[in-house]
Amino acid sequence: MTKYASTALSVALAGLLPAALAAQEEGTLRLATWDDEESLEIIESIAAAFEAAHPGTDVQIEAYGDGYDTKLSAAMGAGNAPDVMYMWNFPAYAASLMPLNDFIERDGAEMDIDDISPALLDVSRIDGNVYGMPAGFTTHVIFYNRDLLEEAGVAEPEAGWTWSDLREKAAAASDPENQVYGFAVDARPDPYDFEQFYWSNGTQFISDDGTEIDGYMNSPEGAEVLNMFADMIASGEAVALNIGDDVSGSALFRGGNLAMFEGAMWNKGGIDESGIDYGIVGLPAFEGKPVKSAINSSAVSISADTDNPELAWDFVKFFSSPEAVAMRVNDLPVRASVAAETGQADDPMLAPFFEMLEVSEGTSPAFLKHEDWARMQENLSAAIEATMIEGGNAQAHLDDAVRRSARFLR
Amino acid sequence: MTVTTDTVVATSSRRRRRPVSHMVPWLFISPWIIGFVAFTLGPMLFSLYMSFFDWPIVGERTFIGLDNYVTMTTLDPQFWESLWITVKFALLFVPLNIAVGFLLALLLNAGLKGTGVLRTLFYLPSVISGVALVTIFSWLYSYRFGVLNYLLGFVGIDGPNWLGDPSWALVAIVFASLWGVGSTMLILLAGLQAIPRELYEAARISGVPAWARTLYITLPMLGPMLLFSIITSIISAFQQLTLALLLTEGGPLGSTYFFAMYIYDNAFKYFDMGYAAAMSWIMFGIVLLLSLAVMKSSSAWVHYEGEVRGKKGDKS
Amino acid sequence: MTRPLLYGAAIFMAALFVAPFVWTLLTAVKTEAELYTFPPSFLPETWRWENFHTAWTKLPFTTFLTNSTIVVVLSTVGQLFSSSLVAFGFARFRFPGRDVLFVVVLASMMIPWDVKMIPLYMQFNFLGWINTLKPLIVPAWFGEAFFIFLLRQYIMSVPMEIDEAARMDGANSWQLYWRIHLPLMLPALVLVGTFQFMNAWNDYLGPLIFLNDQSKYTLTLGLSMFKGLHGQDFISIAAITVVLCLPPLVLFFFAQRYIMDSALGSSVKG
């Protein structure tokens, strides 16, 4: 009823005051982010540039740090979502987001949408609807400490390497007595990221149509991945993370206690600051199989109930424009043109990220395939943790996870 | 002591005084009634309503009757596991919290020099906000680099992997929770002040030893505050979330996956508000029953110096 | 019991309780590099006191401090007044439905906030209170169950004869509350003030849910902005945490003597 009333009112107003139409794209835009203090400046400068280009608009930045999901779900649940927001968990929020297909169709050419990696757009697509425009991304790579590898007398890793190469180097570099470790295995990884190892070993968590996990989550290839990591811990090649303390792999690497570590763009800034002499290489492959990486993208989405969709879309367009993409220095550019122009694509310290993006096209993360994936994933996490603590026996733990998840697939 | 009070009431009711209007008590409690109706009753009933729905944070809501309640009790093993973990935690935490709080309150009441400073220091951990306290504890408990195991090493004890060993993690969380004992300590300390000193004088003169004075005077007279501490400790034990969420994330192997954390995950990880609401109401029922049982039993062990007694003939 | 033994116990406990604070303080003045040395060093190599200034100016903490102060002062005053009033009503009168109502008071503490949050948000949104400090202040003026229960228990341990005497002197119910009981419950009121102060000062979820704009943020919300999804600024967190502890500690140090300063213990002469 309110909606009709306000529509009627605005029609009446528009009739009375034609000038009001011209002012349609003015106003305040609420923009919610998960940025912390360090990365907030970047988004503030992008917003300022947008305001400068759109006189009369005011972008109100709402930064919630790691309380982002709690805040967003409260606001959305109560029907008071911000106009524009950072987004990655599309399945959970899609019902409250505005599909952007029509906008993209209208403005795609102007935006040069083909410049944006299709792999990144895939992550924000559900049932053919695009719910967010990618603004930045990262893939996963291996950081290695040059000095530690040299001390151990092993060669630096090169693109195209395998897990057995990594294990050899890790074994050589490991010196637990002196608190130096070859590699770090997270006993409680984010399953979203962990699926890259499943993909790389030729399997996945859940079938393409999202109806089966038996034979996927607990496939022999999956168990092989878990057992390999557990074995690396047991043999002393790797240190286990997240069993009894919250020391992170990046902290150990920054402290010079870790020869190699699997990480993403969000780790790079801190490592640069630490002054460690390090290199970056793509993820290792499983013998004879193509390597894949998880893709973590930050996209911006528009609330389905925004009062000002055109202005919101203008902002989203601006956010993924070459100008704004170039301003985001804390993650990687979603536009090939920007990557080429800034020389990032050829920078040996960044190129592996782009290579990983290229080889990972066509992967489809589990959470896009089943609405109860978040619950099933909890059982998978438990299986991974149990395998790492026990030092193996992955098949039994994974079978158990599948059994406990079965009720969601009925 | 009981005799004294009864005599007082008996003598006083013989005297005459102005009757109190029926409206007066309602005026006194009216702020709470207004606040309850305005800010609490609505959300409570709304959450009960949600519990009968499949209620994602966004999107279609479907009425499913008692399905949430049936699913959690018959199909969801995690429900029972988390409930059991929380009960174990409460069984450890509530008695320890009361005992340690009581002993500290006695210590601060002993008239030592510098008690003011001590009181402030004992309360200090309660002043530090949850997130920072959790960071500190993860440093203390850390298996490889932790201060605790480092110190234990001096006395020849090979400390366990506190937060990494499923059989120790719950104990570690109990210890960490006890750092917040300052509140209970202060409440009991305030309660101690309300005990008439002449009771102790009289007992001392009659040659009653210190331990007996504590047992037969302090404990019964502290009853009202003990009752408060027990009930609020039970409530907070069942709602324990911060430590599990930030310190162990429910692990290792789910050994600290508290009931409240499972509610939280249902709400903010699975966005299933209906299920979270249904679980909350189960928890509500359990805590309410426990509290009522404690309240009922309290008439046997709590002595109210100023209770308004008697059904009839009392005009206040 | 021997005094030295008591002192020993007191000092041991104090050391145990102070350790976390000392640790936070030492972290706050370390350098980033020192934070990641293993095993961790206890004392910093160089004491970087400027970390406090750096952290404070990274975000508009002075604004946050103003907001926190407004919330804390107004909510504490409201809580002291309303909960003592209500507690007096429950403790000193007999009226139909009192015991049932009191169980409702207790019950209102038992529903976890997770599921009350969305309906509350809707309600405050309806009232136009979102992105204002009102949701953090106004409810405190209507008494919170925890404090009502606490004060009720305290009042009920005050002997009835005090009331009787005052009534004999012609005091009405309000005067009885205001002149007799309010001063008598001073120790408990100090507790209520302390706890409400700490709750409001350290509250993170309330401000997170109900505030949008950085200019409205409170200190804890500012503090949480040093914690992102993929890492945190430990030194700034430690520095701000230390600063956050100081005002309540100083206030508590001056207030705590009144916990012991009970008129009751001595006023009742048999």
Side-chain angles (χ1 to χ4, degrees):
Chain A
M1 216 151 68
T2 341
K3 201 171 175 183
Y4 286 124
S6 70
T7 316
L9 187 68
S10 56
V11 167
L13 278 176
L16 288 170
L17 300 163
L21 271 180
Q24 188 190 10
E25 294 192 19
E26 291 186 358
T28 301
L29 211 52
R30 290 174 54 203
L31 165 66
T33 94
W34 55 62
D35 279 297
D36 56 11
E37 174 271 324
E38 245 181 289
S39 52
L40 195 61
E41 278 171 30
I42 295 169
I43 196 168
E44 278 170 347
S45 51
I46 296 178
F50 178 78
E51 284 171 342
H54 296 73
T57 58
D58 173 33
V59 180
Q60 178 188 314
I61 297 173
E62 305 175 3
Y64 303 119
D66 74 337
Y68 185 78
D69 269 307
T70 310
K71 169 71 189 200
L72 198 62
S73 44
M76 273 193 174
N80 184 30
D83 301 297
V84 182
M85 68 209 95
Y86 270 33
M87 186 54 57
W88 68 272
N89 192 353
F90 291 98
Y93 293 107
S96 279
L97 302 179
M98 188 176 282
L100 304 177
N101 301 37
D102 294 347
F103 285 127
I104 293 175
E105 205 165 299
R106 193 185 73 194
D107 299 343
E110 172 205 331
M111 293 164 68
D112 190 13
I113 193 127
D114 297 334
D115 192 25
I116 296 172
S117 159
L120 294 172
L121 277 169
D122 282 348
V123 185
S124 51
R125 186 178 287 124
I126 299 173
D127 297 333
N129 286 325
V130 175
Y131 287 102
M133 284 299 289
F137 82 98
T138 180
T139 48
H140 293 246
V141 296
I142 303 285
F143 294 80
Y144 57 90
N145 181 320
R146 291 215 158 91
D147 298 334
L148 287 179
L149 288 184
E150 194 184 331
E151 269 170 47
V154 290
E156 289 178 13
E158 281 167 28
W161 65 325
T162 63
W163 280 101
S164 33
D165 296 336
L166 182 141
R167 293 189 63 171
E168 239 169 70
K169 293 181 203 299
S174 243
D175 181 11
E177 292 282 293
N178 291 314
Q179 276 157 348
V180 171
Y181 309 95
F183 190 64
V185 171
D186 192 345
R188 311 190 71 177
D190 184 337
Y192 179 88
D193 298 340
F194 195 81
E195 196 168 13
Q196 64 192 5
F197 304 121
Y198 266 59
W199 294 331
S200 297
N201 203 23
T203 183
Q204 54 187 342
F205 289 159
I206 185 167
S207 62
D208 283 326
D209 60 2
T211 57
E212 280 294 335
I213 52 171
D214 197 5
Y216 293 87
M217 191 193 276
N218 61 346
S219 61
E221 293 86 355
E224 193 189 350
V225 169
L226 267 63
N227 280 330
M228 176 187 81
F229 284 129
D231 197 38
M232 290 174 77
I233 297 172
S235 68
E237 294 158 29
V239 61
L241 302 176
N242 267 323
I243 303 181
D245 55 47
D246 67 348
V247 178
S248 67
S250 76
L252 285 174
F253 193 83
R254 283 192 262 184
N257 303 57
L258 193 57
M260 291 173 288
F261 128 86
E262 183 262 332
M265 195 59 193
W266 54 66
N267 301 119
K268 192 171 177 293
I271 294 174
D272 285 336
E273 273 173 34
S274 71
I276 298 276
D277 183 16
Y278 73 101
I280 293 181
V281 61
L283 293 175
F286 287 88
E287 214 72 56
K289 294 175 185 171
V291 61
K292 307 270 181 194
S293 161
I295 302 170
N296 304 75
S297 113
S298 316
V300 277
S301 296
I302 301 177
S303 160
D305 353 283
T306 178
D307 295 329
N308 211 340
E310 283 295 337
L311 181 64
W313 169 245
D314 271 351
F315 184 80
V316 170
K317 248 191 330 191
F318 182 76
F319 214 77
S320 52
S321 70
E323 184 189 352
V325 166
M327 290 166 89
R328 295 178 64 93
V329 289
N330 60 333
D331 53 12
L332 295 160
V334 294
R335 287 179 173 271
S337 64
V338 174
E341 208 171 290
T342 54
Q344 284 167 302
D346 303 317
D347 182 345
M349 298 305 270
L350 293 172
F353 290 101
F354 295 101
E355 285 156 23
M356 282 291 119
L357 178 65
E358 213 168 293
V359 298
S360 305
E361 222 170 280
T363 54
S364 174
F367 81 138
L368 292 176
K369 298 187 224 163
H370 195 287
E371 58 167 2
D372 277 324
W373 172 251
R375 287 177 183 278
M376 293 188 249
Q377 161 180 309
E378 210 58 42
N379 296 322
L380 171 65
S381 292
I384 297 174
E385 191 189 8
T387 307
M388 299 311 149
I389 288 181
E390 209 177 296
N393 205 10
Q395 194 63 55
H397 294 306
L398 287 170
D399 288 344
D400 193 39
V402 167
R403 204 164 37 245
R404 281 177 73 124
S405 308
R407 69 187 172 102
F408 304 112
L409 290 159
R410 275 193 211 114
Chain B
M1 282 159 288
T2 342
V3 180
T4 336
T5 329
D6 285 348
T7 332
V8 171
V9 172
T11 30
S12 61
S13 57
R14 251 183 273 122
R15 298 177 191 162
R16 302 195 57 189
R17 57 151 205 245
R18 233 171 1 172
V20 177
S21 154
H22 289 304
M23 282 303 292
V24 170
W26 293 97
L27 283 177
F28 273 99
I29 66 165
S30 61
W32 176 76
I33 293 182
I34 296 168
F36 179 72
V37 172
F39 301 118
T40 310
L41 185 62
M44 273 179 86
L45 292 179
F46 195 90
S47 72
L48 183 64
Y49 175 74
M50 284 198 293
S51 75
F52 302 117
F53 282 78
D54 175 15
W55 191 295
I57 292 244
V58 300
E60 286 291 300
R61 283 132 202 199
T62 333
F63 180 77
I64 52 170
L66 290 174
D67 253 24
N68 284 327
Y69 294 93
V70 173
T71 306
M72 69 182 60
T73 46
T74 57
L75 291 173
D76 186 356
Q78 191 60 53
F79 171 86
W80 294 106
E81 288 162 19
S82 289
L83 187 58
W84 175 230
I85 289 166
T86 299
V87 168
K88 275 194 291 188
F89 175 77
L91 286 174
L92 288 170
F93 172 76
V94 176
L96 277 174
N97 187 46
I98 305 291
V100 175
F102 180 60
L103 290 177
L104 287 179
L106 284 184
L107 184 61
L108 290 184
N109 206 34
L112 298 179
K113 281 211 178 71
T115 303
V117 176
L118 282 178
R119 271 196 295 270
T120 313
L121 294 184
F122 286 179
Y123 189 61
L124 207 150
S126 310
V127 171
I128 299 179
S129 73
V131 177
L133 204 62
V134 164
T135 313
I136 294 160
F137 268 102
S138 61
W139 282 330
L140 287 178
Y141 278 136
S142 166
Y143 183 44
R144 271 171 302 226
F145 311 113
V147 178
L148 188 57
N149 281 354
Y150 182 71
L151 291 178
L152 285 175
F154 280 125
V155 283
I157 298 173
D158 193 10
N161 187 348
W162 292 98
L163 300 174
D165 184 338
S167 43
W168 279 104
L170 191 68
V171 178
I173 294 235
V174 171
F175 285 150
S177 315
L178 285 178
W179 244 254
V181 76
S183 307
T184 306
M185 170 195 84
L186 288 184
I187 288 163
L188 296 179
L189 187 61
L192 286 177
Q193 307 313 310
I195 302 175
R197 271 156 223 162
E198 52 271 30
L199 285 176
Y200 291 103
E201 300 292 327
R204 192 160 36 217
I205 290 164
S206 337
V208 180
W211 63 268
R213 290 200 295 268
T214 308
L215 200 61
Y216 296 115
I217 301 177
T218 312
L219 269 179
M221 294 298 285
L222 205 52
M225 286 309 181
L226 279 174
L227 175 68
F228 173 84
S229 301
I230 292 171
I231 289 183
T232 52
S233 295
I234 291 174
I235 296 175
S236 74
F238 272 82
Q239 296 188 348
Q240 174 57 256
L241 177 68
T242 319
L243 284 173
L245 202 61
L246 300 174
L247 195 55
T248 59
E249 294 171 60
L253 300 182
S255 59
T256 57
Y257 199 19
F258 288 101
F259 200 75
M261 184 173 169
Y262 193 39
I263 294 180
Y264 179 90
D265 277 355
N266 273 295
F268 300 112
K269 229 166 148 179
Y270 314 141
F271 301 107
D272 192 345
M273 273 292 162
Y275 205 75
M279 283 187 70
S280 301
W281 277 87
I282 298 262
M283 185 165 109
F284 175 85
I286 296 171
V287 177
L288 185 63
L289 283 179
L290 280 176
S291 305
L292 287 177
V294 174
M295 283 288 249
K296 263 259 160 345
S297 82
S298 73
S299 57
W301 56 273
V302 174
H303 165 77
Y304 290 109
E305 191 72 7
E307 191 166 17
V308 188
R309 285 189 191 174
K311 290 272 176 215
K312 285 165 196 151
D314 193 315
K315 292 183 185 97
S316 44
Chain C
M1 225 175 316
T2 48
R3 294 258 124 179
L5 202 69
L6 281 182
Y7 275 110
I11 290 168
F12 173 74
M13 291 306 287
L16 214 56
F17 280 86
V18 174
F21 183 78
V22 173
W23 191 277
T24 316
L25 181 66
L26 291 176
T27 304
V29 294
K30 283 182 181 174
T31 61
E32 181 89 7
E34 224 177 328
L35 211 54
Y36 294 110
T37 54
F38 290 111
S41 61
F42 185 67
L43 288 176
E45 270 168 34
T46 44
W47 297 66
R48 292 172 44 108
W49 296 104
E50 66 268 30
N51 285 355
F52 287 100
H53 183 254
T54 316
W56 189 263
T57 47
K58 272 183 180 171
L59 288 165
F61 270 101
T62 310
T63 309
F64 302 161
L65 176 65
T66 313
N67 293 331
S68 279
T69 309
I70 293 172
V71 169
V72 163
V73 170
L74 291 183
S75 69
T76 305
V77 171
Q79 192 65 263
L80 285 171
F81 182 65
S82 58
S83 54
S84 62
L85 208 59
V86 176
F88 181 75
F90 274 114
R92 278 306 199 240
F93 298 98
R94 168 166 299 280
F95 52 92
R98 181 192 69 174
D99 295 341
V100 175
L101 264 185
F102 193 70
V103 170
V104 177
V105 172
L106 294 186
S108 68
M109 291 190 275
M110 298 172 189
I111 285 278
W113 63 271
D114 321 43
V115 296
K116 286 190 294 195
M117 185 191 70
I118 287 184
L120 255 186
Y121 190 107
M122 289 178 179
Q123 197 180 342
F124 289 136
N125 194 26
F126 175 76
L127 295 170
W129 288 5
I130 295 298
N131 204 21
T132 72
L133 299 178
K134 287 178 202 161
L136 309 174
I137 297 169
V138 177
W141 283 84
F142 296 96
E144 197 176 304
F146 183 88
F147 299 122
I148 295 172
F149 187 18
L150 174 62
L151 290 173
R152 173 212 185 238
Q153 294 304 94
Y154 195 85
I155 297 171
M156 284 179 77
S157 50
V158 175
M160 264 321 258
E161 61 197 77
I162 290 179
D163 293 42
E164 299 294 339
R167 294 259 189 213
M168 293 304 286
D169 292 342
N172 64 27
S173 299
W174 171 260
Q175 289 161 333
L176 191 61
Y177 159 74
W178 187 254
R179 295 223 191 110
I180 310 288
H181 275 278
L182 216 46
L184 278 180
M185 59 175 127
L186 185 65
L189 284 176
V190 171
L191 293 191
V192 172
T194 308
F195 295 159
Q196 172 65 37
F197 187 107
M198 289 319 309
N199 288 354
W201 187 255
N202 279 341
D203 186 16
Y204 165 65
L205 282 164
L208 173 72
I209 306 285
F210 300 125
L211 302 177
N212 298 334
D213 200 342
Q214 238 196 59
S215 66
K216 302 283 184 354
Y217 280 10
T218 58
L219 286 167
T220 37
L221 214 46
L223 176 66
S224 78
M225 290 190 63
F226 290 123
K227 199 167 185 294
L229 289 174
H230 294 291
Q232 39 192 310
D233 182 349
F234 277 115
I235 289 175
S236 297
I237 290 179
I240 296 294
T241 300
V242 169
V243 175
L244 243 67
C245 285
L246 293 180
L249 269 189
V250 171
L251 275 175
F252 179 73
F253 180 74
F254 287 108
Q256 49 85 20
R257 69 190 60 186
Y258 297 104
I259 296 175
M260 307 297 286
D261 190 24
S262 163
L264 256 190
S266 47
S267 74
V268 189
K269 299 280 183 239

